[in-house]
Amino acid sequence: MDDFGVYAAFGVNGPPQKLLSAEGSSRVRVAVPPSVRQVVLFSSGRWGERICVNAELNDSDRMPITIGKLTPYNKCLSWEQWEEETWIDSVTLNVSLEGGNLSTEPEVIMAVKEYTPKDTAAPPAARELHGKRKRAQTAEEEEGGNDWTKRREEEENMCPNATSEKTTPVRKVRGQAKGSQKLFASGADTTKLKGAGEKGAAEMQGTVGRTPPQSAVRTKSRQAKAPAHTAPLASPSGRWGQTLCPIDAQTAILIGGQGARMQFCKDPMWKLCTEDMSWVAAETLAEGPTPEARIGHTAIYDPDSRRIFVFGGSKNKKWFNDVHILDTQSWKWTMVEAQGKVPPLAYHSCSMFQGELFVLGGVFPRPNPEPDGCSDSLYIFDPRLSIWYQPIVTGDKPSPRSGHSACVMQERKIYVFGGWDTPVCYNDMYMLDLGLMEFSAVKTTGNPPSPRSWHGSTVLSDTKFLIHGGYNGNNALSDAFIFDIDTNSWTEVRVPELSVPRAGHSIITMETAGHRCFSEEDEDADMNGGRTLLVFGGGDNEGNFYSDLTTVAVEELLGAI
């Protein structure tokens, strides 16, 4: 007998209600009462051939508020109203089963059996439950530092651009018209960023395209009310704040990110094959507990152990300091029970050196009434001992910052560029000598990039790395620069493929078919032969999230110097 079932509990006191069973319909729709502020969805019994259970909380226009998925390895989901910025009245839970012997029964529409204990106070008024302006005033809601609100701008820590003008972004007022939402808003001077990346960038409202659209502003309002579709995707949805991690010469893994309507991506994990530039949805390929949806995390691959390490990030008002490991040989996730202390961090940098993770900077939450802070600390994670520790470092270390980049050069130096902290956006450069564990400020020549954060960076050769795009406190950027560590010089490069403004995107270099280095005399020939730069995702601060994959031959970039 097949005892499989999918259940939901509505509210902290609500009893579980069976939504799907082995014999019934494979789809169900449930109207969530206005008094319910928590929903827990879980499965029970043997999964058999079943693949997954898709779940969506939709608003009255049937637009997804939040999305999740049950699998044989992740059998429980939970949502809370104060974590979902668009949770309002008339919320509907839609649940559908994939795989197994699917029933031909029509979709079932159910009502929630509400449960109210006798000693429980009456629920708050409807306006208080979904009144965004009222919720924006509470100190508790400000603790995560993720809600961009003009009325609290005296506490906000945003990043100005390089001028003396007050062009720092501000958080959008929670009643502001959707038509004016952007990835990052610009406005009056402020005093707090910090978790801004997640909510600030999440303020993008509009189109999701595989390529940068030319008329996004005109299509924004029309697409905002389009019904959600559940057809399988052939490629990742548009997003920013994700990670794209190469694991071998032809394969990279995409993890996490956030897209339109401040929603964390329903398709959080993909595998990219560069032989034919094809994508494969990979969330259900790996066993074990997958990381919770997040943004501002890091993912780095260790070629010796052939494992991906995912650390930190944030989700709405949740902050993470967990370490998840994906073994790319067994395709199994594990969560590390680490010793030592490391704070929850987002928008930090993470570098691999001799099998250890070097985590620098980032945003961390503080208790009220203090705003979130940027870190200048260096933490090291040793996977062999599953322990965090702080090394003794000397020299002139970088000031606290987040949204910066870090490139490991010649397996002995980490170059740190850019980022921001109250109220400054940086374009300075620091180098950490991994042998001496000594920081030093790098005096550069040439035309440097303007101050920025959330830019893309990648190593091009043994002596050169690239900085592209990012956010300067007002606009998303499209310029590109190459830094030469031999001469400590910057050179701006102009290639058509890198002309689209992007922030929060991913840049990697990989072996790809069709690109070969023809100059054997090139000093970088041993490294850039057959290598290609790949750019994925990001946003333009004009209402667009990208899902396009742009490629540029590394030899073309180096030839443009």
Side-chain angles (χ1 to χ4, degrees):
M1 178 179 179
D2 192 344
D3 58 353
F4 177 81
V6 176
Y7 300 79
F10 298 91
V12 294
N13 297 308
Q17 301 181 37
K18 178 176 281 190
L19 305 185
L20 299 177
S21 63
E23 298 80 17
S25 172
S26 60
R27 299 178 63 86
V28 64
R29 183 185 305 172
V30 186
V32 180
S35 60
V36 171
R37 296 195 286 176
Q38 304 90 7
V39 177
V40 178
L41 185 73
F42 61 95
S43 69
S44 177
R46 298 186 298 271
W47 275 71
E49 299 299 320
R50 300 174 182 91
I51 298 174
C52 65
V53 173
N54 296 309
E56 291 185 358
L57 278 176
N58 291 340
D59 60 18
S60 57
D61 292 327
R62 300 195 66 180
M63 291 295 295
I65 297 172
T66 186
I67 300 169
K69 182 178 292 187
L70 299 180
T71 72
Y73 312 103
N74 297 281
K75 299 180 180 180
C76 184
L77 294 170
S78 65
W79 302 284
E80 295 178 316
Q81 185 187 53
W82 42 81
E83 292 182 2
E84 311 300 340
E85 296 302 315
T86 52
W87 187 321
I88 58 175
D89 293 343
S90 305
V91 171
T92 302
L93 174 64
N94 296 302
V95 181
S96 62
L97 177 65
E98 292 184 13
N101 298 321
L102 296 180
S103 171
T104 57
E105 296 289 330
E107 180 182 51
V108 174
I109 300 178
M110 299 179 61
V112 174
K113 302 174 183 177
E114 293 193 71
Y115 172 76
T116 305
K118 294 181 180 180
D119 297 333
T120 301
R127 178 173 177 80
E128 182 175 348
L129 285 176
H130 65 273
K132 296 184 179 179
R133 287 187 176 91
K134 187 167 184 177
R135 286 175 47 215
Q137 299 176 15
T138 66
E140 179 182 356
E141 293 299 316
E142 291 297 321
E143 181 174 357
N146 293 328
D147 305 321
W148 283 19
T149 322
K150 280 186 178 179
R151 62 200 299 170
R152 296 297 300 275
E153 61 186 355
E154 68 276 4
E155 295 182 333
E156 305 300 322
N157 170 21
M158 297 299 180
C159 164
N161 59 17
T163 71
S164 59
E165 298 176 6
K166 296 180 179 180
T167 55
T168 57
V170 295
R171 296 186 181 179
K172 172 183 164 294
V173 176
R174 290 192 177 183
Q176 186 175 336
K178 292 183 178 179
S180 63
Q181 289 181 345
K182 290 186 176 184
L183 173 61
F184 316 98
S186 62
D189 191 19
T190 58
T191 60
K192 173 183 172 188
L193 157 76
K194 302 299 190 181
E198 180 169 314
K199 287 291 182 190
E203 296 295 357
M204 276 188 177
Q205 167 75 25
T207 60
V208 175
R210 294 186 183 177
T211 57
Q214 300 300 317
S215 57
V217 175
R218 293 193 298 270
T219 63
K220 213 178 345 182
S221 59
R222 181 172 66 254
Q223 295 196 16
K225 295 187 177 181
H229 63 83
T230 57
L233 298 173
S235 62
S237 60
R239 67 192 67 196
W240 91 289
Q242 70 288 329
T243 57
L244 186 60
C245 183
I247 63 173
D248 58 38
Q250 287 84 34
T251 310
I253 302 298
L254 174 67
I255 299 174
Q258 189 178 50
R261 291 176 60 90
M262 299 184 292
Q263 301 306 307
F264 288 86
C265 296
K266 184 179 180 180
D267 52 326
M269 187 172 173
W270 289 80
K271 179 190 290 187
L272 171 66
C273 177
T274 60
E275 290 182 332
D276 56 1
M277 293 298 174
S278 62
W279 292 95
V280 177
E283 183 183 7
T284 59
L285 296 182
E287 300 179 358
T290 60
E292 187 174 349
R294 61 191 64 196
I295 191 174
H297 56 288
T298 51
I300 192 163
Y301 178 68
D302 178 16
D304 293 333
S305 63
R306 300 182 66 178
R307 298 185 296 174
I308 295 176
F309 294 84
V310 177
F311 169 72
S314 58
K315 176 187 179 184
N316 296 331
K317 295 170 184 61
K318 295 181 181 179
W319 295 74
F320 302 101
N321 64 347
D322 50 359
V323 178
H324 294 261
I325 299 177
L326 175 61
D327 189 316
T328 61
Q329 294 179 284
S330 63
W331 281 102
K332 180 175 292 186
W333 282 103
T334 56
M335 183 174 175
V336 178
E337 295 183 3
Q339 297 179 345
K341 292 184 179 180
V342 63
L345 290 171
Y347 314 107
H348 52 279
S349 64
C350 182
S351 307
M352 177 72 70
F353 175 67
Q354 293 185 348
E356 294 184 320
L357 276 63
F358 285 63
V359 173
L360 176 66
V363 180
F364 62 91
R366 297 183 195 167
N368 282 332
E370 297 183 48
D372 301 323
C374 277
S375 170
D376 63 353
S377 298
L378 176 65
Y379 294 88
I380 297 180
F381 177 71
D382 185 342
R384 292 162 292 188
L385 302 176
S386 294
I387 188 170
W388 285 100
Y389 67 95
Q390 284 189 268
I392 298 175
V393 294
T394 60
D396 185 10
K397 69 178 183 179
S399 59
R401 63 190 63 205
S402 65
H404 54 284
S405 60
C407 292
V408 179
M409 303 298 295
Q410 300 176 345
E411 299 183 355
R412 59 187 177 88
K413 300 175 181 178
I414 297 179
Y415 283 80
V416 179
F417 171 77
W420 67 4
D421 187 24
T422 307
V424 179
C425 193
Y426 298 107
N427 67 340
D428 51 4
M429 179 88 75
Y430 287 83
M431 187 269 289
L432 173 61
D433 187 311
L434 295 168
L436 302 174
M437 292 305 294
E438 180 180 16
F439 273 109
S440 60
V442 180
K443 296 181 179 180
T444 66
T445 61
N447 180 28
S450 59
R452 67 192 63 204
S453 64
W454 296 324
H455 48 276
S457 68
T458 189
V459 176
L460 299 179
S461 74
D462 194 45
T463 61
K464 298 178 180 67
F465 62 86
L466 175 78
I467 298 293
H468 171 258
Y471 179 60
N472 68 1
N474 192 33
N475 301 306
L477 306 172
S478 62
D479 48 5
F481 299 80
I482 292 178
F483 186 75
D484 189 327
I485 67 171
D486 280 347
T487 60
N488 285 342
S489 61
W490 286 106
T491 303
E492 184 172 5
V493 292
R494 302 179 186 275
V495 292
E497 295 88 346
L498 300 180
S499 62
V500 175
R502 296 176 192 262
H505 51 301
S506 300
I507 298 183
I508 60 174
T509 55
M510 294 184 65
E511 298 287 343
T512 54
H515 294 296
R516 291 293 180 266
C517 180
F518 299 103
S519 175
E520 296 182 358
E521 297 179 355
D522 187 344
E523 62 178 10
D524 298 313
D526 59 334
M527 189 164 184
N528 67 48
R531 294 181 66 82
T532 299
L533 184 82
L534 288 86
V535 182
F536 172 80
D540 68 350
N541 198 33
E542 295 296 335
N544 302 302
F545 290 103
Y546 299 142
S547 62
D548 60 317
L549 187 65
T550 301
T551 62
V552 185
V554 170
E555 56 189 316
E556 179 183 347
L557 280 169
L558 295 175
I561 298 177

